[in-house]
Amino acid sequence: MKKMLSLAAMFAALSYASPAFAALNISGDASVRVQDWITGHQDVDNVDWQYRLNLRAAADLGDGYFFKALVTNEDSRNGGWQTVGYANGEVYNLQLSQFYFGHMSSGSHYLVGRLPLNSANNPIFDLTLFPTRPIFTPIDLLLNDRAFGANVGGKVGPGDLNATFVVLDNNAAGNTSWSGDGLLNDGYGIHTSYKFNLGNVTFEPQAVAILTKSDVLTQTWTPGASYPTTYSTNNPAAAPIHFGFRPVTYGTNVSVPLSGVKLSASAFYTRGSGTTPAGAGTPATPNPFAGTRVDYFGDFFRIKAESGPVTVWYDHNSTTDKSTLTQASLTPGGNQVYTNNFIYAQYKIKLHESAQGTFTLQPTVRYASMKTSSLGTELVNEHALLPELWATVTF
């Protein structure tokens, strides 16, 4: 609590700083919600009461230069949401989640820092880093929807070209046996996109490439368990990792307004292939799977509709993993095939709106179906239903 009050006091003091300095504008949102995790086996039916606070700071430095930041809770790896604990004994810590600055002009821009990814609306990131379970928007839910890097973009021809260079990890510990010097042993990636219109249809073809050997999560699902616990990088037993190779993902987003409804669709494909090097893994923990073969491919499709207070989308993913590590527990020659479906629906009820802020209720439903099979044998068949009710104020 002291930490939270200190951050709030700091923001307040800065926002009323001398006119000689840039004015710091503070905004944000606060939410409470109740959600009920219901699994397909009905052996877990757990009601969670949760809350979240987002504080946003922005400063206009003049001549197109700016600064922005987001302070929120990142302890729970649940998109900033904190679940009420035993005897209300949980501690809600605020952390600096996003922090970036740069320059904007009419034809170009650049920014650097801990950048927002907008991953909930752009599934290319989910498919790249979670190729076997890219549903439930895991980059947003588990990795807090941000990455350290630099973005540059501008007007090129009829559209806008963007490129984001990202530092994925800092696993290098000086020279290692698999890639040379320490600089190149860190994980780097690049995301490029080109957004343009043909009539009233907007296209955004894009690609993500891992430039140096990095790690990709290949999530599984523990039968009967709730999603945030098992579908997490904090649970190694539920999240085997392919170490040290360079996957590539590409595809496009398309959107079109139609009779007051914004329709959009996404289609992406990912491919990962290579041999796990001996030096991959963290500096403190050498990779125990050195020499294993990584070989997988997968696709992802989304159809989405937005109309006034209603947002609905459907995701489908199919990924085939032929990696040596995957094969170890299977019949020789068998591939592990992951098939996932996800539905998200939310209705926003606006109870109050003014120049100072809003107050809304948001009934929300999420449903996921996850299957894993090999040589026609079903290994996993899980379902999770998550009805929720949010109450949110913006200010």
Side-chain angles (χ1 to χ4, degrees):
M1 177 62 71
K2 289 182 179 178
K3 184 177 181 181
M4 186 186 303
L5 292 175
S6 297
L7 284 166
M10 177 192 72
F11 276 163
L14 288 172
S15 65
Y16 289 101
S18 165
F21 299 94
L24 190 65
N25 297 311
I26 307 300
S27 62
D29 59 81
S31 302
V32 296
R33 76 178 181 189
V34 57
Q35 59 179 200
D36 187 11
W37 285 100
I38 306 171
T39 71
H41 290 294
Q42 301 299 315
D43 53 0
V44 171
D45 186 349
N46 183 43
V47 174
D48 288 329
W49 299 87
Q50 299 180 324
Y51 52 92
R52 179 177 70 179
L53 173 66
N54 292 322
L55 293 175
R56 296 177 179 86
D60 183 352
L61 309 181
D63 298 325
Y65 291 92
F66 69 93
F67 160 82
K68 291 186 178 182
L70 168 66
V71 172
T72 189
N73 175 262
E74 294 191 344
D75 289 347
S76 64
R77 287 184 174 267
N78 191 22
W81 293 92
Q82 176 67 56
T83 301
V84 174
Y86 178 73
N88 279 243
E90 77 281 353
V91 176
Y92 191 81
N93 293 315
L94 289 174
Q95 294 92 21
L96 193 58
S97 180
Q98 298 172 15
F99 174 98
Y100 57 102
F101 51 87
H103 182 268
M104 300 282 291
S105 67
S106 59
S108 65
H109 70 267
Y110 62 85
L111 44 143
V112 63
R114 228 177 186 191
L115 308 174
L117 294 175
N118 190 31
S119 58
N121 296 309
N122 196 3
I124 189 171
F125 304 110
D126 296 323
L127 183 60
T128 299
L129 292 184
F130 296 85
T132 62
R133 293 282 189 251
I135 57 171
F136 253 108
T137 61
I139 297 295
D140 180 58
L141 186 70
L142 302 178
L143 301 184
N144 301 303
D145 192 39
R146 78 296 188 266
F148 181 85
N151 171 269
V152 61
K155 193 76 174 177
V156 176
D160 295 309
L161 179 65
N162 262 279
T164 305
F165 176 82
V166 173
V167 180
L168 293 169
D169 58 57
N170 188 29
N171 281 348
N175 283 346
T176 64
S177 61
W178 62 279
S179 186
D181 65 39
L183 173 67
L184 295 180
N185 277 322
D186 293 333
Y188 303 110
I190 188 169
H191 170 237
T192 59
S193 66
Y194 185 70
K195 191 173 185 178
F196 64 96
N197 293 329
L198 289 178
N200 63 347
V201 182
T202 301
F203 294 87
E204 190 179 14
Q206 52 191 299
V208 169
I210 308 303
L211 303 177
T212 57
K213 295 181 177 179
S214 191
D215 304 339
V216 170
L217 306 174
T218 56
Q219 304 288 29
T220 60
W221 181 277
T222 301
S226 61
Y227 177 91
T229 302
T230 59
Y231 194 84
S232 170
T233 54
N234 289 331
N235 185 351
I241 297 175
H242 288 323
F243 290 99
F245 70 108
R246 301 181 181 94
V248 175
T249 308
Y250 53 88
T252 189
N253 292 321
V254 181
S255 62
V256 58
L258 186 64
S259 300
V261 179
K262 180 184 177 182
L263 295 177
S264 58
S266 303
F268 293 101
Y269 176 84
T270 192
R271 181 79 172 92
S273 179
T275 301
T276 304
T282 64
T285 308
N287 181 17
F289 306 112
T292 57
R293 177 71 179 171
V294 175
D295 187 7
Y296 69 82
F297 58 89
D299 53 48
F300 186 102
F301 300 97
R302 170 177 293 176
I303 183 72
K304 184 177 183 180
E306 300 169 84
S307 178
V310 179
T311 300
V312 180
W313 82 68
Y314 165 71
D315 294 340
H316 172 78
N317 157 254
S318 179
T319 297
T320 299
D321 194 349
K322 302 186 289 182
S323 306
T324 305
L325 180 59
T326 304
Q327 300 293 313
S329 59
L330 303 177
T331 304
N335 301 326
Q336 196 136 314
V337 180
Y338 300 85
T339 305
N340 305 289
N341 295 282
F342 178 65
I343 297 173
Y344 180 96
Q346 185 175 79
Y347 187 84
K348 184 177 290 187
I349 304 169
K350 193 168 291 185
L351 301 179
H352 170 76
E353 183 177 18
S354 70
Q356 287 73 40
T358 64
F359 178 31
T360 59
L361 293 179
Q362 295 147 274
T364 304
V365 176
R366 290 185 276 178
Y367 172 79
S369 168
M370 297 143 290
K371 296 181 180 180
T372 308
S373 61
S374 177
L375 294 175
T377 300
E378 192 172 82
L379 305 177
V380 174
N381 186 353
E382 287 295 310
H383 304 269
L385 176 64
L386 183 59
E388 304 170 304
L389 179 62
W390 304 18
T392 300
V393 295
T394 64
F395 51 87

